[in-house]
Amino acid sequence: MAKVSVYNMEGKEVDTMELSDAVFGVEVNEHLVHMAVVQQLANNRQGTQKAKTRAEVSGGGRKPWRQKGTGHARQGSTRAPQWTGGGVVFAPVPRDYSFKMNKKEKRAALKSALTSKVQGSNLIVVDELKFDEIKTKNFQNVMNNLNVNKGLVVLAENDEKVVMSAKNIPTVQTTLTNTLNVYDVMKAGKVVLTKDAAKKIEEVYA
């Protein structure tokens, strides 16, 4: 089991914690991690882009000039793709970009992502995150104490004071254990887990 330090909000080491190898010590599968990231980005695409083909553009029914004898190249319609105002050759049409991954593949990808953070010393465990008021400065001070510039903060339960305090910091994102995903983990420079969140992740994914 990987042993990591547990810090308080002042950035001081107060304890150590053993992380389960079943979640934080698996063999990293880069292919599944890549697939999970691509899936999330693809599933977020609207797929509403649309342009008209030559069959859909209005007008252009009459041949612009006779076939021979004008000196011009032969033309059949003013709505052919080479004309201004003509249709688009391979016009994009609305489509669904989403695809599915198996449940086991998703779990394996998330475990791989978390393991890669542990191996790179980019996973920080804090004993708790508690604030008396919603204040961005307080949250930023905690991130500075933990030496986190670009991070993902994972909470066991929704805490409005923590979430709202972090909302105005563009380089920090908060999430819950049940909405944790591979894309957010890989995008973050460092992943900050509360002690309760780490235990909850182990319970769900071990």
Side-chain angles (χ1 to χ4, degrees):
M1 287 190 172
K3 186 177 274 190
V4 294
S5 300
V6 178
Y7 299 91
N8 60 15
M9 290 169 59
E10 283 75 46
K12 295 175 182 175
E13 186 176 337
V14 292
D15 197 3
T16 57
M17 180 180 183
E18 287 191 343
L19 298 175
S20 171
D21 284 342
V23 179
F24 297 95
V26 300
E27 186 179 343
V28 177
N29 189 324
E30 291 182 8
H31 171 67
L32 285 181
V33 172
H34 176 262
M35 205 157 85
V37 170
V38 171
Q39 188 218 19
Q40 186 169 339
L41 293 175
N43 291 0
N44 287 341
R45 291 185 71 173
Q46 285 185 310
T48 54
Q49 190 182 15
K50 175 74 175 80
K52 291 182 178 181
T53 64
R54 62 183 296 169
E56 296 168 314
V57 180
S58 62
R62 185 174 69 85
K63 191 173 172 67
W65 51 75
R66 60 197 174 93
Q67 181 84 342
K68 292 177 176 290
T70 63
H72 295 299
R74 56 194 174 189
Q75 300 291 335
S77 168
T78 57
R79 290 297 174 259
Q82 71 271 22
W83 284 72
T84 300
V88 179
V89 181
F90 298 112
V93 293
R95 54 168 288 194
D96 181 12
Y97 289 93
S98 65
F99 65 93
K100 289 184 178 180
M101 275 182 75
N102 294 335
K103 197 173 180 180
K104 284 184 179 178
E105 288 178 328
K106 280 186 178 180
R107 291 170 71 95
L110 184 57
K111 289 178 185 180
S112 293
L114 291 170
T115 299
S116 69
K117 291 296 179 185
V118 174
Q119 291 175 351
S121 300
N122 289 321
L123 188 135
I124 299 170
V125 179
V126 292
D127 55 354
E128 63 173 2
L129 284 173
K130 292 285 183 185
F131 295 106
D132 297 327
E133 58 181 337
I134 297 172
K135 200 168 182 69
T136 303
K137 189 176 180 180
N138 293 345
F139 193 93
Q140 184 63 65
N141 288 337
V142 174
M143 293 296 102
N144 293 340
N145 293 338
L146 296 171
N147 196 25
V148 175
N149 295 320
K150 184 180 180 185
L152 175 69
V153 179
V154 186
L155 306 171
E157 293 178 357
N158 190 28
D159 187 328
E160 187 185 11
K161 288 177 181 175
V162 176
V163 174
M164 296 302 289
S165 295
K167 200 170 184 181
N168 279 342
I169 305 175
T171 56
V172 174
Q173 184 181 352
T174 58
T175 188
L176 301 176
T177 52
N178 58 354
T179 56
L180 187 63
N181 61 77
V182 176
Y183 177 70
D184 288 342
V185 171
M186 297 307 295
K187 187 176 70 170
K190 291 185 178 179
V191 176
V192 179
L193 298 173
T194 63
K195 210 171 179 180
D196 290 341
K199 290 175 182 175
K200 204 167 182 179
I201 290 171
E202 288 180 347
E203 287 173 9
V204 174
Y205 294 100

